[in-house]
Amino acid sequence: RRRRTLFAADARQLRALIPDISLSTDIIIGFPGETEEDFQQTASLMREVAYDNAYIFKYSPRPGTDAAANEDDVPKEVKEARNQALLALQDEIALKRFRRFEGQTVEVLMEGLGRREGQWFGRTRGNHGVIVESKERLTGQTMRVRITNVTAKKLFGERCPSSSR
């Protein structure tokens, strides 16, 4: 509990100093010995810190690790339920955080093709994925993009005129 409190305080201090800081984390749920209280504390920390992104995984034993020597005592259905709960919570948090970008212009480094024809994928300085539609090849360009729409996973935007470098 002490570590959780200190970490949440650190996150608040970082946001006070750098309001647009992007925080992300990795979370393993269902670790041997994890109680419902442990899980609720994890969810509480996620709400308090408000991560822009969280990679959430269910625990599974890995040979040669210290954890593998412990009994995998959290039932699979409990792990699955906790995993789904945290994924939904993270989507809710990310959508709220990403809404701050709507209507804003951000710098984006275009990495390559998007999943659909005519779309290009890039990342902001805070590592947020951005989709831009263009018939031109954009890979490798840094450009200003006005964000027009957001989801819990990505930002969507349009290229600002004369923005490529």
Side-chain angles (χ1 to χ4, degrees):
R1 287 185 185 174
R2 186 172 187 283
R3 178 177 279 164
R4 175 189 161 296
T5 303
L6 289 173
F7 186 77
D10 289 344
R12 281 192 300 278
Q13 287 180 336
L14 285 169
R15 287 230 165 89
L17 293 170
I18 310 166
D20 287 336
I21 194 167
S22 177
L23 300 174
S24 65
T25 190
D26 291 3
I27 297 172
I28 299 175
I29 58 92
F31 203 80
E34 180 185 78
T35 65
E36 181 62 26
E37 182 182 354
D38 294 333
F39 171 71
Q40 291 303 327
Q41 286 185 15
T42 299
S44 176
L45 179 66
M46 285 180 65
R47 283 186 204 91
E48 199 168 344
V49 173
Y51 295 103
D52 286 67
N53 194 11
Y55 299 95
I56 302 166
F57 305 96
K58 294 176 276 190
Y59 170 79
S60 60
R62 297 288 187 258
T65 63
D66 290 345
N70 297 324
E71 180 186 352
D72 187 6
D73 59 351
V74 179
K76 287 181 184 181
E77 56 275 0
V78 172
K79 287 181 193 179
E80 184 60 32
R82 289 176 180 174
N83 187 57
Q84 292 305 312
L86 288 191
L87 288 170
L89 175 59
Q90 181 54 39
D91 280 353
E92 179 184 317
I93 291 167
L95 185 57
K96 284 179 189 173
R97 299 257 328 133
F98 285 7
R99 284 194 173 128
R100 75 186 190 276
F101 289 107
E102 287 180 316
Q104 300 294 315
T105 299
V106 296
E107 188 176 60
V108 177
L109 172 60
M110 303 309 295
E111 294 181 0
L113 291 170
R115 291 189 176 164
R116 295 192 177 121
E117 188 173 332
Q119 287 186 341
W120 297 85
F121 178 80
R123 293 187 185 275
T124 67
R125 289 183 177 268
N127 201 32
H128 302 103
V130 180
I131 299 292
V132 176
E133 292 193 21
S134 177
K135 293 180 181 179
E136 298 176 47
R137 185 178 193 280
L138 303 180
T139 301
Q141 295 182 43
T142 300
M143 62 184 54
R144 294 175 46 78
V145 173
R146 190 176 74 77
I147 303 303
T148 57
N149 192 26
V150 301
T151 68
K153 306 283 188 223
K154 286 190 185 77
L155 309 173
F156 295 82
E158 55 192 22
R159 187 176 174 181
C160 294
S162 306
S163 68
S164 298
R165 288 197 267 159

